Amino acid sequence: MARKIDAQNATPARAGRLIGAWLARMEAHAALVTSVDGTLREAHGISAAQFEILARILHGPAQGTRMQDLAEDLYVGRSSATRLVDGLEGEGLIARVTFPADRRGTLARLTDAGRTKFLEAAQTFLDVTEERFRRLGTWADVAALEKALTAIAE
């Protein structure tokens, strides 16, 4: 029977396995983001970070996404999220509106142009990520990876 990972059974060999898993995850993330970013920039003029913002807003609450929530979802500070949104707003892809429940708060919403840009870029994103994930073998392998990464994130 497999033993659960905990501090009491983390032998040097197990510690090496954990460090190896961490490094592999970091390298996979960097390779995927670099590939997606370069392709999206070339094909659609947006970065992977901008694509993620458009995706999070599109799939977020109907009234719009709070700037604080966007920053937390992106794992960046509010000023970094604001800079990214400023760029998208300047391109007419996002509009800022006042949060109805708290007039001091600001929501980000996609404009029609933002929705169009996202939908055009989404196919490119899917093509690039599918090419990378195909290396896993089967869709069951992709599902297992998703399950494992979700468990780590929780």
Side-chain angles (χ1 to χ4, degrees), residues 1 7 34 55 87 105 122 133 154:
M1 176 175 190
T34 299
F133 280 87
E154 291 176 343

Side-chain angles (χ1 to χ4, degrees), residues 29-39 48 132:
H29 173 79
L32 186 58
V33 169
T34 299
S35 182
V36 167
D37 189 70
T39 305
R132 289 282 178 161

Side-chain angles (χ1 to χ4, degrees), residues 65-68 78 96-108:
T65 302
R66 290 181 16 190
M67 293 300 295
Q68 178 64 36
R78 288 177 73 175
R96 284 190 175 106
V97 295
T98 302
F99 186 42
D102 177 2
R103 304 207 52 74
R104 296 171 295 159
T106 303
L107 298 173

Side-chain angles (χ1 to χ4, degrees), residues 129-145:
T129 54
E130 183 176 350
E131 187 276 323
R132 289 282 178 161
F133 280 87
R134 192 178 299 129
R135 299 171 187 184
L136 291 174
T138 68
W139 287 110
D141 295 330
V142 173
L145 176 63

Side-chain angles (χ1 to χ4, degrees), residues 55-121:
R56 289 188 181 279
I57 294 171
L58 179 66
H59 295 287
Q63 79 270 14
T65 302
R66 290 181 16 190
M67 293 300 295
Q68 178 64 36
D69 294 339
L70 199 53
E72 289 172 8
D73 289 345
L74 296 169
Y75 296 97
V76 298
R78 288 177 73 175
S79 62
S80 295
T82 298
R83 262 193 316 279
L84 288 165
V85 168
D86 286 347
L88 291 168
E89 185 178 36
E91 294 176 33
L93 303 178
I94 289 177
R96 284 190 175 106
V97 295
T98 302
F99 186 42
D102 177 2
R103 304 207 52 74
R104 296 171 295 159
T106 303
L107 298 173
R109 288 187 185 154
L110 290 186
T111 62
D112 289 342
R115 182 179 305 278
T116 299
K117 175 71 82 172
F118 172 79
L119 293 174
E120 291 169 354

